[in-house]
Amino acid sequence: MEYIQTPATSSQGNILCCTCGIPIPPNPANMCVSCLRTQVDISEGIPKQVSVHFCKQCERYLQPPGTWVQCALESRELLALCLKKLKGSMSKVRLIDAGFLWTEPHSKRIKMKLTIQKEVLNGAILQQVFVVEFVVQPQMCDDCHRVEAKDFWKAVVQVRQKTVHKKTFFYLEQLILKHKLHQNTLRIKEIHEGIDFYYGSKQHAQKMVDFLQCTVPCRSKASQRLISHDVHSNSYNYKSTFSVEIVPVCKDSVVCLSPRLAQSLGNMGQICVCIRVTSTIHLIDPNTLQIAEVDGSTYWRHPFNSLCSPRQLEEFIVMDMDIIRDQKLGAGAGLRSNRHTLAEVWVQKTSEMDTSQQYHCRTYLGHLLNIGDLVLGFDFANANINDEFLNKMNPHHVPDVVLIKKSYDRAKRVKSRYWKLKELEREREGMDTDDERQYQDFLEDLEEDEALRKNVNIFRDASKIPVESDTDDEGAPRISLVEMLEDLSLNDATGGEGADMMTD
């Protein structure tokens, strides 16, 4: 406790304290600090211990009356929240300074040092420093309470894709994590051919549907079911269901377009390869390098199916190759890809090396392939396909083989992968044993396609020591260290996991 000196008067020198008689500088109270402390306590009425409520599940603090806010320890947001708890009791004093005192994170205590001023006897201004202790009380917020209940949901978004490969779902998962669309979900459940998102309000579900329509080619429809109706207040309780169907085409799928659609896309060939699925389907004609994009609305007007699954791809070896330099497109042709090179190749199945059977085809992988390389492709010559548009095509226009991607040693690629992705926390049921292989396929796609990984947060794997290189000994593409993010992890002073009160 101390005095704040008032403006100097005309008289100088010391006076005697009116209570104990010791010499002191003149002041309006005519009392020394010790005597004044026994007479006046300006912090009287301000509580020295206050409770704040903290939700362990979502790591948020309660800001009365019903708002939950995210605050890190010793942050400005937490300081403001604590001061609001004392606002009513500090109306008669002036707050000069406030700051945190360090407390052990597991102690559930937050200590704050306050400096206040108040005018006391005969106009003297007294300043005092004291400590207020905030006790952190656990309390579950309404949102987390609904999550724990698991059955308390108002809306569900059912996302489905009728394909055998989940590459589009893996890509969609990373977009949701990057844009934090999963924060309002009560529950995420993965089932066969799709995933369900449960929400506590219809508005959050509608926001997810809008996000899906902007990021992947899909169509949606909504329905609702009446749960209860209060005739007195005329209020209704509905449960809403949003059904979202993603187009059944994945990356590396071979498709056969309808003649009308192929003509509208610049007279490109009907046999195309899907090289990427983002908000549109990116197609390339392996015979001409002509590229086109098909959005969701166009697809549902002119639907086409995937002719092969990743399991049907076979391994070929390049026996001979010739780059096509001057390729002329017909009238009305669309854009050509600048990232690919057109080539004519002779290939042979690795399973038929003891025979003389070889296949001739055109490919868009001329910039990657060399004689002796392994490549994955779809064997049209020996496949039995029942497709509406393929059956009506001239057999001379159907290639014997469509090459999809260059093949690398998967074991070496996994060993040299110094990065990782985050995953959604979700319930799984009826999962396919092939999921791990499909996930590895998706990771390889990210390494091979720079445009695809621009929309994905890639984190450096701290458990591996990276070596800076864009390719390995076999030329397999890698993700450079520049593109990786540092995964944030908070530890306490003892080196253990962060306390419950810590926030990301």
Side-chain angles (χ1 to χ4, degrees):
M1 183 180 296
E2 59 179 334
Y3 285 112
I4 301 300
Q5 297 293 332
T6 56
T9 59
S10 59
S11 60
Q12 299 294 330
N14 294 337
I15 62 173
L16 299 179
C17 174
C18 65
T19 303
C20 63
I22 64 172
I24 59 171
N27 63 76
N30 294 328
M31 296 175 67
C32 65
V33 174
S34 301
C35 296
L36 191 58
R37 185 182 294 116
T38 62
Q39 299 291 328
V40 179
D41 179 15
I42 63 174
S43 67
E44 185 179 2
I46 301 176
K48 304 303 186 292
Q49 190 175 67
V50 184
S51 296
V52 293
H53 297 283
F54 177 77
C55 178
K56 292 182 178 180
Q57 277 74 10
C58 61
E59 298 181 339
R60 294 186 299 176
Y61 292 88
L62 174 63
Q63 180 175 307
T67 306
W68 292 84
V69 293
Q70 195 94 19
C71 301
L73 285 178
E74 299 190 4
S75 64
R76 296 177 59 184
E77 293 80 7
L78 185 59
L79 183 69
L81 186 144
C82 293
L83 289 176
K84 286 181 180 179
K85 289 275 187 177
L86 304 174
K87 185 177 181 181
S89 59
M90 296 178 62
S91 58
K92 297 181 180 180
V93 298
R94 181 185 178 189
L95 179 64
I96 301 301
D97 187 31
F100 288 107
L101 298 177
W102 186 87
T103 55
E104 206 280 326
H106 295 87
S107 65
K108 304 296 183 183
R109 296 291 187 275
I110 301 174
K111 290 187 177 181
M112 182 186 295
K113 183 173 71 172
L114 302 177
T115 303
I116 59 174
Q117 288 182 0
K118 185 180 180 182
E119 184 177 330
V120 291
L121 303 175
N122 298 324
I125 299 176
L126 193 62
Q127 180 170 303
Q128 183 175 344
V129 179
F130 63 101
V131 175
V132 178
E133 182 181 73
F134 294 86
V135 181
V136 180
Q137 301 284 357
Q139 177 178 331
M140 188 178 292
C141 66
D142 294 339
D143 294 336
C144 294
H145 194 278
R146 294 182 182 127
V147 174
E148 292 297 318
K150 292 186 178 180
D151 291 329
F152 189 85
W153 56 272
K154 292 293 185 65
V156 59
V157 179
Q158 300 174 338
V159 187
R160 299 291 184 268
Q161 186 183 30
K162 297 178 180 179
T163 58
V164 296
H165 205 289
K166 299 183 178 179
K167 285 185 178 180
T168 308
F169 274 111
F170 293 137
Y171 173 70
L172 186 60
E173 176 185 18
Q174 296 305 315
L175 289 180
I176 292 173
L177 285 168
K178 182 173 183 177
H179 296 281
K180 299 181 180 180
L181 263 293
H182 63 292
Q183 290 185 335
N184 296 321
T185 56
L186 304 180
R187 179 187 180 195
I188 302 176
K189 184 178 180 182
E190 185 172 351
I191 62 174
H192 180 61
E193 290 188 348
I195 189 169
D196 293 344
F197 298 90
Y198 294 86
Y199 294 91
S201 68
K202 184 178 179 181
Q203 290 76 15
H204 290 153
Q206 185 64 56
K207 184 178 179 181
M208 171 60 84
V209 173
D210 295 340
F211 173 78
L212 293 175
Q213 290 176 337
C214 295
T215 52
V216 290
C218 61
R219 62 180 177 182
S220 64
K221 59 181 180 179
S223 63
Q224 60 183 12
R225 178 164 56 96
L226 180 63
I227 304 301
S228 62
H229 173 213
D230 188 350
V231 295
H232 300 288
S233 61
N234 199 28
S235 61
Y236 296 83
N237 181 20
Y238 290 101
K239 278 192 174 183
S240 302
T241 300
F242 296 88
S243 178
V244 179
E245 183 180 359
I246 303 176
V247 296
V249 177
C250 291
K251 186 180 184 299
D252 298 336
S253 295
V254 182
V255 299
C256 183
L257 308 180
S258 65
R260 184 176 179 182
L261 178 60
Q263 183 181 14
S264 66
L265 296 177
N267 290 324
M268 66 189 305
Q270 289 184 246
I271 302 295
C272 296
V273 178
C274 175
I275 56 175
R276 192 182 306 116
V277 176
T278 54
S279 57
T280 58
I281 305 172
H282 298 252
L283 300 175
I284 186 170
D285 185 351
N287 289 319
T288 61
L289 289 190
Q290 192 171 336
I291 56 175
E293 295 184 17
V294 178
D295 57 19
S297 60
T298 303
Y299 174 85
W300 297 117
R301 288 198 305 269
H302 306 282
F304 50 86
N305 298 319
S306 177
L307 301 181
C308 69
S309 66
R311 294 180 183 178
Q312 295 174 294
L313 296 181
E314 299 189 54
E315 191 176 60
F316 296 83
I317 185 170
V318 179
M319 307 302 293
D320 193 10
M321 186 177 74
D322 184 20
I323 300 295
I324 301 176
R325 301 295 181 184
D326 299 322
Q327 170 69 17
K328 295 183 179 180
L329 298 179
L335 297 176
R336 292 186 64 192
S337 174
N338 296 323
R339 299 175 59 245
H340 301 86
T341 302
L342 189 63
E344 288 186 348
V345 294
W346 285 91
V347 295
Q348 186 174 12
K349 288 185 182 179
T350 55
S351 60
E352 298 177 352
M353 294 300 292
D354 56 343
T355 67
S356 60
Q357 177 67 41
Q358 293 187 5
Y359 304 92
H360 175 263
C361 66
R362 283 192 173 188
T363 180
Y364 55 90
L365 301 176
H367 60 296
L368 296 176
L369 299 181
N370 296 297
I371 296 176
D373 285 346
L374 297 178
V375 60
L376 296 177
F378 182 60
D379 182 8
F380 271 94
N382 301 308
N384 184 13
I385 305 173
N386 185 18
D387 182 79
E388 176 186 359
F389 306 123
L390 185 65
N391 295 338
K392 296 179 182 179
M393 282 186 63
N394 187 336
H396 297 290
H397 294 164
V398 179
D400 291 336
V401 172
V402 175
L403 301 182
I404 304 297
K405 60 192 295 187
K406 187 176 179 179
S407 179
Y408 302 96
D409 189 337
R410 170 163 288 184
K412 291 183 179 179
R413 296 187 71 170
V414 173
K415 186 177 179 180
S416 61
R417 186 171 292 140
Y418 306 113
W419 54 275
K420 61 182 179 179
L421 301 176
K422 291 189 175 182
E423 296 183 16
L424 289 173
E425 295 184 3
R426 56 190 183 271
E427 302 175 10
R428 302 171 185 263
E429 66 175 37
M431 301 306 297
D432 194 347
T433 55
D434 198 38
D435 281 355
E436 180 59 31
R437 185 188 65 83
Q438 296 183 15
Y439 188 67
Q440 292 299 325
D441 288 343
F442 173 68
L443 298 183
E444 292 175 2
D445 290 343
L446 289 180
E447 292 175 336
E448 297 167 5
D449 193 343
E450 182 180 357
L452 187 66
R453 62 176 180 260
K454 286 182 178 179
N455 299 326
V456 176
N457 283 341
I458 298 172
F459 297 91
R460 187 174 69 85
D461 192 346
S463 62
K464 297 181 180 180
I465 301 176
V467 178
E468 182 57 61
S469 175
D470 290 335
T471 59
D472 62 10
D473 296 337
E474 295 185 349
R478 289 185 182 176
I479 297 179
S480 63
L481 291 174
V482 180
E483 299 178 75
M484 301 182 193
L485 303 174
E486 290 288 344
D487 195 5
L488 179 62
S489 60
L490 297 176
N491 295 328
D492 62 10
T494 61
E497 292 294 326
D500 292 337
M501 292 164 53
M502 300 292 281
T503 58
D504 291 340

